[in-house]
Amino acid sequence: MSDQIKFIVDNLNKEPFRKNYNLITFDSLEPMQLLQVLSDVLAEIDPKQVVDIREEMPEQTAKRMLSLLGILKYKPPGNATDMSNFRQGLVIGSKPVIYPVLHWLLQRTNELKKRAYLARFLIKLEVPSEFLQDETVADTNKQYEDLMEAFKTLHKECEQLKTSGFSTAEIRRDISAMEEEKDQLIKRVERLKKRVETVQNHQRMLKIARQLRVEKEREEFLAQQKQEQKNQLFHAVQRLQRIQNQLKSMRHAAADAKPESLMKRLEEEIKFNSYMVTEKFPKELENKKKELHFLQKVVSEPAMGHSDLLELESKINEINTQISQLIEKKMMRNEPIEGKLSLYRQQASIISRKKEAKAEELQEAKEKLANLEREVSAKTNQTREFDGTEVLKGDEFKRYVSKLRSKSTVFKKKHQIIAEFKAEFGLLQRTEELLKQRHENIQHQLQTIEEKKGISGYSYTQEELERVSALKSEVDEVKGRTLDDMSEMVKKLNSLVSEKKSALAPVIKELRQLRQKCQELTQECDEKKSQYDSCAAGLESNRSKLEQEVRGLREECLQDESRYHYTNCMIKNLEVQLCRATDEMKAYVSSDQQEKRKAIREQYTKNIAEQENLGKKLREKQKAVRESHGPNMKQVKMWRDFEQLMECKKQCFLKQQSQTSIGQVIQEGGEDRLIL
């Protein structure tokens, strides 16, 4: 239970919950708070479940959670009576009910999110049969089912695409590359079309080329089919051989087996199974029930404090003392009958423990054997999927290994022969290149000589004449040659070839010996090189270690040097300060007044006296300002009032002037005029 609570707390403290719980705070949560935590976890799985428990009735909360847990296929432990207890515990927020639910939900959050998402679209609405009699309702229900099936197929395709490893960026790059290749191919096709259009009967030739391509593709397809059929035939033959071998082995086992041995084996299995069913499993079940009852009792009890733990420790100590006293009393009695019975009990307990240990070992061996058989079957299935062939066993595998060895020896021989041929071919090719180069040099020298003599082109014309004459003579010889001459020529050529072969045979033998020697030398060179590399690696590692040590010593030296310079600077500063202190003492002790005035103490005392005098003057000035502050403020107020009064008089004067100017009557020339 503690591991379960720890797992729940760790997951609730992570994203996206961020609850910041510890084991004590989580265990001390109230039932309503526990239900709110469960609701938050369900809301993370299905966003429709975002609800505040305080704003919802308990029955609605239990119904909502039970429906979602049913959709998520959560199976509460126990039978039908435990199911009612589970519902009741979910309503009241019981810890033994909610903890397993939280543990189950937090273990498979991503899987449950997917299941809740699919449940919105794949949980079929049950329509009563009487409503399905209506055509419109039946058609709508059929469309609904078709859409559900289409959603299933689309979701499967989407999951396959997600797990296939393709990315949109790679697909876009591939598409752009394919488009560029397509443009290049279109341009090439257009160029080839223009080039072919000048050829006569190009349409017929294109048609024939198209037919040839189709036939080649058909030939490749048929060759592939033939190869597949050969592989299938080979696999079928192998399977037949394997089945025949299995049949032989089974017949051999059945022939060797006797009824008595089979009956013994069955009796041993029956005894073992009866012991496991009647003795071992009931004991284990009883122990598990006791542990479960004890754990439930511990969980149902309230959290214990330090004082409760001290009380329990004191009780345990008292009970231990009582047990030790009872054991001492029993030993003091020293009853012989009880001693014999205890001896028999010890022997019986030892035998029972040995029996249980052997049964457990046998059970573990059986489980290990079953696991190994499952692994073997899985490996065989994987090999069948990868290669299409089945795993060989026993004699078949030995025969297969012997065949591989013989084939490998043949392959090595052939490979050696091919290497020799390649080496000979390289030598001949090099001699040919040298002869061609020598011929070109001779031709170049001949041309220079002809140019010097003034007969350039003579050798070329002579070669042409010789070639033409040789062609003419060859034609004449061909015309006049008979079959006997040809046979004689063939014999001569054969004799020449045999002579050349016999002449080259010792050279080839020497060359083979030299090649073998070269291979040995190369092997020796490789060995020496590997030794050199290993030695160089060791020296390099030693060098790196020494470099690291030197680097460390240099750093220490630099640190010591910096420390030395720092201490020298500090010593110099202290010496300067000491000199200043001695000068100050000399000036302070001397009887000369001039030197005393130069002392720092005298200067500081003089500055202090000046500052004290300045402070006295400032305090006196502050006192005078404080005393004259009140009358001065009154005077400032009077001046402001006077200024306001003068401003008011000014405004009145300006207003009076403006009133006299408006509506003035002027008489001129016997006429009255009003000026505004």
Side-chain angles (χ1 to χ4, degrees):
M1 180 64 83
S2 61
D3 295 335
Q4 192 179 35
I5 296 171
K6 188 177 179 182
F7 177 78
I8 293 167
V9 170
D10 291 338
N11 281 277
L12 287 175
N13 291 335
K14 294 177 183 176
E15 292 287 341
F17 302 106
R18 293 185 183 178
K19 295 292 185 181
N20 294 325
Y21 288 142
N22 54 26
L23 294 174
I24 298 169
T25 55
F26 181 74
D27 192 55
S28 61
L29 288 176
E30 296 294 329
M32 289 295 291
Q33 293 174 341
L34 264 179
L35 284 173
Q36 185 62 51
V37 170
L38 179 59
S39 179
D40 294 339
V41 175
L42 291 173
E44 178 62 26
I45 293 168
D46 188 5
K48 291 183 179 178
Q49 304 293 323
V50 180
V51 177
D52 192 355
I53 299 294
R54 295 171 294 182
E55 298 176 358
E56 193 177 24
M57 296 295 290
E59 293 81 5
Q60 293 177 356
T61 304
K63 187 177 180 182
R64 175 173 60 82
M65 291 182 179
L66 284 170
S67 63
L68 184 57
L69 290 173
I71 290 168
L72 299 177
K73 296 181 181 179
Y74 174 71
K75 293 180 181 179
N79 49 17
T81 57
D82 294 334
M83 190 67 191
S84 62
N85 294 330
F86 175 74
R87 290 195 187 94
Q88 188 176 0
L90 193 64
V91 171
I92 63 175
S94 177
K95 292 179 181 178
V97 174
I98 291 176
Y99 284 174
V101 177
L102 285 172
H103 185 262
W104 186 80
L105 292 172
L106 294 170
Q107 269 185 333
R108 44 182 71 83
T109 307
N110 295 324
E111 179 187 349
L112 296 175
K113 280 182 182 179
K114 184 178 177 182
R115 192 176 292 173
Y117 168 73
L118 293 174
R120 286 188 290 171
F121 304 102
L122 297 181
I123 293 178
K124 191 176 180 181
L125 296 173
E126 295 295 334
V127 182
S129 58
E130 57 268 16
F131 292 111
L132 290 173
Q133 300 297 326
D134 192 0
E135 293 181 357
T136 56
V137 176
D139 293 337
T140 307
N141 190 23
K142 188 177 179 183
Q143 290 178 4
Y144 170 66
E145 291 176 354
D146 294 338
L147 289 171
M148 192 180 290
E149 293 295 328
F151 174 76
K152 286 180 183 178
T153 55
L154 289 172
H155 182 70
K156 286 179 182 177
E157 290 176 0
C158 180
E159 291 295 323
Q160 289 175 0
L161 289 172
K162 283 181 181 178
T163 56
S164 62
F166 293 113
S167 63
T168 55
E170 290 179 358
I171 292 167
R172 284 173 183 167
R173 284 198 296 270
D174 293 338
I175 288 168
S176 61
M178 287 178 182
E179 286 178 353
E180 289 178 359
E181 288 179 0
K182 182 181 176 183
D183 295 335
Q184 291 176 2
L185 288 171
I186 288 168
K187 289 177 182 178
R188 286 182 63 186
V189 168
E190 288 177 355
R191 285 199 300 270
L192 290 171
K193 279 183 179 179
K194 289 178 181 178
R195 193 180 298 172
V196 169
E197 284 175 356
T198 57
V199 181
Q200 294 180 357
N201 298 325
H202 64 278
Q203 292 292 337
R204 186 168 173 276
M205 292 174 74
L206 286 172
K207 187 177 179 181
I208 292 167
R210 196 178 295 112
Q211 290 176 359
L212 178 64
R213 189 180 66 252
V214 171
E215 291 298 327
K216 281 186 178 179
E217 290 177 355
R218 189 166 174 274
E219 184 182 0
E220 290 176 358
F221 178 70
L222 291 172
Q224 190 177 0
Q225 278 188 347
K226 185 179 178 182
Q227 189 64 33
E228 288 177 358
Q229 288 176 1
K230 282 183 180 179
N231 292 330
Q232 288 176 3
L233 180 62
F234 178 70
H235 298 329
V237 171
Q238 281 187 345
R239 198 177 295 114
L240 179 62
Q241 290 177 358
R242 190 164 48 257
I243 290 166
Q244 286 176 356
N245 292 327
Q246 288 178 2
L247 182 62
K248 284 180 184 178
S249 62
M250 289 174 72
R251 284 177 179 172
H252 184 69
D256 293 338
K258 293 181 181 179
E260 291 83 2
S261 62
L262 292 172
M263 288 295 292
K264 263 187 195 178
R265 198 182 304 158
L266 290 171
E267 284 176 359
E268 288 175 358
E269 288 182 359
I270 289 165
K271 285 179 182 178
F272 174 72
N273 292 327
S274 61
Y275 168 73
M276 294 292 287
V277 171
T278 56
E279 295 182 13
K280 190 171 183 347
F281 288 156
K283 286 181 182 178
E284 289 181 355
L285 184 63
E286 190 67 27
N287 292 328
K288 295 291 182 185
K289 283 182 179 178
K290 286 180 181 178
E291 288 180 3
L292 181 64
H293 180 69
F294 178 70
L295 292 171
Q296 286 179 352
K297 188 177 179 182
V298 170
V299 170
S300 61
E301 289 179 356
M304 299 176 71
H306 187 66
S307 59
D308 298 330
L309 291 173
L310 291 173
E311 289 178 3
L312 286 172
E313 285 180 358
S314 63
K315 286 181 182 178
I316 288 165
N317 293 325
E318 289 175 0
I319 291 166
N320 286 328
T321 54
Q322 290 176 6
I323 289 166
S324 62
Q325 289 173 4
L326 290 171
I327 290 167
E328 288 176 358
K329 286 179 182 178
K330 187 177 179 182
M331 290 177 71
M332 290 293 290
R333 288 177 187 174
N334 197 8
E335 295 179 358
I337 298 168
E338 190 66 27
K340 290 180 182 178
L341 289 173
S342 65
L343 181 64
Y344 291 135
R345 284 198 193 99
Q346 286 178 359
Q347 290 178 356
S349 63
I350 290 166
I351 291 165
S352 64
R353 280 199 295 272
K354 285 183 179 179
K355 195 174 180 181
E356 288 177 357
K358 293 296 179 184
E360 288 177 357
E361 288 178 1
L362 183 60
Q363 188 70 22
E364 289 177 357
K366 283 187 176 181
E367 290 177 356
K368 193 181 287 185
L369 180 63
N371 292 326
L372 290 172
E373 287 177 353
R374 282 197 294 272
E375 287 180 2
V376 169
S377 62
K379 296 293 183 184
T380 52
N381 291 327
Q382 286 180 0
T383 52
R384 286 174 189 169
E385 290 176 359
F386 290 148
D387 195 11
T389 59
E390 296 184 0
V391 179
L392 301 175
K393 296 179 182 177
D395 298 331
E396 291 183 0
F397 184 73
K398 290 179 181 177
R399 286 196 293 273
Y400 180 68
V401 170
S402 63
K403 283 182 183 179
L404 279 178
R405 285 174 182 169
S406 62
K407 287 182 180 179
S408 65
T409 54
V410 173
F411 170 74
K412 287 177 182 177
K413 289 179 181 178
K414 299 291 185 185
H415 188 69
Q416 190 175 1
I417 292 167
I418 289 167
E420 291 175 357
F421 283 144
K422 283 182 179 179
E424 289 179 1
F425 176 73
L427 289 171
L428 294 171
Q429 196 172 9
R430 179 62 181 165
T431 53
E432 184 183 2
E433 288 177 357
L434 291 171
L435 291 171
K436 283 182 179 180
Q437 190 175 2
R438 193 179 297 171
H439 177 68
E440 288 176 357
N441 293 328
I442 291 166
Q443 287 291 115
H444 185 66
Q445 290 176 3
L446 184 61
Q447 286 177 3
T448 53
I449 291 166
E450 286 176 355
E451 287 177 358
K452 285 180 182 179
K453 299 293 184 181
I455 52 171
S456 61
Y458 174 76
S459 61
Y460 176 73
T461 54
Q462 190 176 0
E463 285 177 0
E464 286 291 325
L465 289 170
E466 287 176 357
R467 188 171 62 80
V468 171
S469 63
L471 286 171
K472 187 175 181 299
S473 63
E474 285 177 1
V475 171
D476 293 336
E477 286 176 1
V478 167
K479 286 180 180 179
R481 191 179 301 159
T482 59
L483 291 173
D484 296 332
D485 296 334
M486 290 174 70
S487 62
E488 288 177 2
M489 186 61 71
V490 169
K491 287 178 182 178
K492 287 179 183 179
L493 290 171
N494 287 328
S495 63
L496 285 170
V497 169
S498 61
E499 287 175 1
K500 295 291 183 183
K501 281 184 179 178
S502 61
L504 289 171
V507 178
I508 290 168
K509 286 181 181 178
E510 290 177 0
L511 184 63
R512 285 177 182 171
Q513 291 176 0
L514 291 171
R515 281 177 187 159
Q516 190 173 2
K517 192 174 181 181
C518 179
Q519 287 179 357
E520 290 175 358
L521 290 171
T522 52
Q523 288 178 359
E524 188 177 356
C525 178
D526 293 334
E527 290 175 359
K528 297 291 184 183
K529 189 177 180 182
S530 63
Q531 291 176 3
Y532 169 75
D533 291 336
S534 62
C535 183
L539 292 172
E540 185 68 24
S541 63
N542 292 328
R543 188 176 68 82
S544 62
K545 287 179 183 177
L546 291 171
E547 285 180 354
Q548 286 179 358
E549 290 178 1
V550 169
R551 199 178 295 114
L553 292 171
R554 282 180 180 172
E555 288 177 357
E556 289 179 1
C557 182
L558 290 172
Q559 288 176 1
D560 292 336
E561 284 180 359
S562 64
R563 200 177 295 115
Y564 170 73
H565 292 303
Y566 177 72
T567 51
N568 281 334
C569 292
M570 291 296 292
I571 289 165
K572 287 180 181 178
N573 290 328
L574 292 170
E575 286 177 354
V576 171
Q577 290 178 3
L578 185 62
C579 289
R580 290 175 67 184
T582 52
D583 293 338
E584 183 70 19
M585 286 295 294
K586 286 178 183 178
Y588 184 71
V589 172
S590 67
S591 59
D592 192 2
Q593 295 295 327
Q594 288 294 117
E595 289 184 359
K596 278 188 177 182
R597 288 175 186 173
K598 290 179 181 178
I600 296 170
R601 183 173 179 180
E602 293 294 330
Q603 291 178 5
Y604 280 136
T605 52
K606 185 179 179 182
N607 290 330
I608 289 165
E610 289 177 356
Q611 293 296 325
E612 285 179 353
N613 293 326
L614 183 63
K616 285 179 182 179
K617 289 178 182 179
L618 290 172
R619 280 194 290 274
E620 290 175 358
K621 192 174 181 181
Q622 184 181 10
K623 186 177 179 183
V625 169
R626 281 179 181 173
E627 289 175 355
S628 62
H629 179 68
N632 288 335
M633 290 300 293
K634 286 181 181 179
Q635 191 174 2
V636 168
K637 190 171 183 283
M638 290 171 66
W639 275 106
R640 284 177 182 169
D641 294 339
F642 177 72
E643 186 179 2
Q644 192 175 2
L645 182 61
M646 294 302 292
E647 185 69 28
C648 183
K649 285 185 176 182
K650 179 182 175 184
Q651 293 293 333
C652 292
F653 177 72
L654 292 172
K655 189 175 181 183
Q656 188 177 2
Q657 277 189 349
S658 62
Q659 284 179 359
T660 54
S661 61
I662 294 170
Q664 187 177 2
V665 179
I666 299 172
Q667 294 180 357
E668 288 181 359
E671 294 178 356
D672 296 333
R673 287 188 296 169
L674 178 64
I675 297 170
L676 298 176

